[in-house]
Amino acid sequence: MVDVALSGQVAMPAEALIRIKALGRLRLGDAVFRHLTRAAAVGVLLLLSGVIISLIDGSIPAFKTFGFGFLISERWNPVTDNFGALPAIYGTVVTSFIAMLIAVPVGLMIAFFLTELCPQWLRRPIGIAIELLAGIPSIIYGIWGLFIFAPFLQATLQPFLINTLGNVPGIGTLFAGPPYGIGIMTSGLILAIMVLPFVTSITRDVFEAVPGVLKEAAYGLGCTTWEVVRNVVLPYARVGVIGGIMLGLGRALGETMAVTFVIGNAHRISASVLAPGTTISATIANEFNEAVGDLYTSALIALGLILFVITFIVLAAARYMLMRIERRIG
Amino acid sequence: MPDKILPSRYSGRRRNNAVATGLAFAATAFGLGWLVLILGALLWKGFSGLSVAVFTQMTPPPGSSGGLLNPIIGSLILTVLAVLIGTPIGVLAGTYMAEYGRYDRLTSVVRFINDILLSAPSIVIGLFIYEVMVAPMGHFSGWAGGVALAVLVIPVVVRTTEDMLTLVPNALREAATSIGLPRSLSITRICYRAARAGMMTGVLLAVARISGETAPLLFTSLNNQFWSNNLNAPISSLPVVIFQFALSPYKDWQSLAWTGALIITLAVLALSITARALVPSEKQS
């Protein structure tokens, strides 16, 4: 192309020379830019592999000393350099489970409200307000949880649970012990508020993507609004909804600051959800700067690696499911 | 016979519908209620401490009065640093994905990995930067804090840049090529301009995300009781100061923590609302 354009200009060799030079510069610039963008894209991949490699590298001393037992040991004693990850893993899983137990039904119902019941002009403001919850930094949830929410729970909900469900045989042990205010349950509740916007916004998006014809057909058969959502919208959007839930779960598992404030940082596994506990991220945030000795630091980095592996699996599954539904809609 | 069954069935279905609808209203009120409760608490606890001194004085030792000047400046420095490092990398990577390799295998892999980075726990990023920067350098530093935040900026910018460039109509690219613009110029001069508002939104969202981040700063930039703009030394930042002051037993510190929390939240909410206003509503969903 360029050569053809040039051949018309033979009459003025000096000018042609300048043009050739200019074109050469442009071509060079083009190649440089192209390779720069490619390098940046590869850089994103390197970033993630860098995270994984550095975490593995940092946790080698801990895994060498404790072996596989690190994952199932309940001890955490910095004085004798004896570490086990089980209480932190347990706390992470249980707080996230409580969070999802509340956030999933509430998020689904809000999405139901936003897509089927809410008047058109109110949809955007309410949607944005819910998403603002996601924008509030986690340290704000932490300070609010510690000074306002935990004392409130200690005075109201927790004594109530202890006096009612606490006396029921079987599940009674879940609600045994004094009302501390801070603890596993409080962390779970705060996490529920934090992941609610993620579950809601993704569920709303996949609900909105359900073809109108399907819903109209169901309404035409005489279904009520709830029956349409329950029997048409939900089954159609199922994969996307599960993807959204997993994405919220990924957030809840890795959430640090809010939990650090209200979990109590106690390295033990209690049957009661009212008792203080710890999570992986809270342990790292609380102890990393005070960790003396290579083994202590390495044990904390190993906890970080475990957290990263768990969230990676959850998030990868979430993305895979969301990609599947995008492909079906797209 | 059917005449007798049907009315009761109808009313049962109607009742279920009413219950479900009621629950949906309740759930929405529940969700919005938390926003009101949290913002209300912040205003109630933080507003009284808001004064000129907060913006002009250093963080005090326990028991005396002071302000939040050094953490505010520190946070601004760290945020600017993170945006300066993260934005170019993010924009370039997003450009590759939308312009050069839209249908590449590399692009789909990068998109997948980027989405995971987007929601990866930020404390793990803090550990990563500790391992690769703080430990080799031997001390905590502002640089490490800025880089840790940049790692959080990159995925947000990559995502929005790719999305926004993909929305640019192909006719613009074809027009640019037809007047002889090389590819790089047609991207930087035409596509970037067409997608400018959306890409700005990405940067604003990234700033909103990192300005409240605490976990990655705990073991990178640490904290500094005094005035410092030396990026080679530990530097103070608003979130870390809030963390430290809120967990302290001193009343003065706790009330400063609330004031700091109010400042951060207002800044973050203003940023995310501005970011939304920049993008026309039809592109939003």
Side-chain angles (χ1 to χ4, degrees), chain A residues 76 84-99 183-189 191 251-269 275-288 299-300 303-304 306-307 310, chain B residues 121 123:
Chain A
W76 187 269
L86 197 60
I89 297 176
Y90 171 82
T92 304
V93 172
V94 172
T95 49
S96 301
F97 179 75
I98 296 174
I184 299 266
M185 190 183 84
T186 311
S187 308
L189 291 178
L191 284 178
R251 289 273 171 174
L253 289 167
E255 183 44 55
T256 309
M257 296 323 290
V259 175
T260 307
F261 272 93
V262 295
I263 189 84
N265 207 34
H267 281 278
R268 58 167 184 263
I269 298 178
T278 193
T279 67
I280 294 177
S281 48
T283 305
I284 302 173
N286 265 319
E287 299 180 25
F288 196 77
L300 288 169
L303 277 182
I306 295 169
L307 175 66
I310 299 174
Chain B
I123 191 150

Side-chain angles (χ1 to χ4, degrees), chain A residues 30 38 124 222 226-227, chain B residues 13 17 96 184 218 276 284:
Chain A
D30 231 21
R38 201 186 157 85
R124 230 168 97 78
W226 169 242
E227 284 164 348
Chain B
R13 287 175 53 198
N17 189 45
Y96 178 81
S184 59
L218 286 174
R276 266 164 227 284
Q284 196 129 76

Side-chain angles (χ1 to χ4, degrees), chain A residues 96-114 117 130 188-189 191-193 195-201 203-204 207 226 229-230 234 241-242 244-246 248-249, chain B residues 19-31 34:
Chain A
S96 301
F97 179 75
I98 296 174
M100 300 321 286
L101 209 59
I102 296 163
V104 169
V106 175
L108 281 173
M109 288 316 263
I110 296 179
F112 166 36
F113 174 81
L114 283 175
L117 304 171
I130 297 280
L189 291 178
L191 284 178
I193 305 170
V195 300
L196 183 62
F198 292 98
V199 177
T200 306
S201 67
T203 315
R204 180 197 56 195
F207 275 15
W226 169 242
V229 171
R230 174 80 187 68
L234 207 52
V241 170
I242 296 173
I245 291 171
M246 304 274 272
L249 179 60
Chain B
V19 169
T21 313
L23 282 177
F25 275 97
T28 311
F30 179 79
W34 292 118

Side-chain angles (χ1 to χ4, degrees), chain A residues 292-324:
Chain A
V292 274
D294 290 341
L295 197 58
Y296 195 179
T297 310
S298 173
L300 288 169
I301 295 177
L303 277 182
L305 178 65
I306 295 169
L307 175 66
F308 191 70
V309 170
I310 299 174
T311 47
F312 188 95
I313 294 170
V314 170
L315 292 173
R319 289 300 172 187
Y320 175 71
M321 287 174 173
L322 289 173
M323 254 157 64
R324 255 179 62 187

Side-chain angles (χ1 to χ4, degrees), chain B residues 78 140-142 144-145 216-223 233-237 240:
Chain B
L78 288 177
F140 298 99
S141 70
L217 296 179
L218 286 174
F219 352 110
T220 51
S221 65
L222 202 67
N223 195 359
I235 194 168
S236 182
S237 62
V240 176

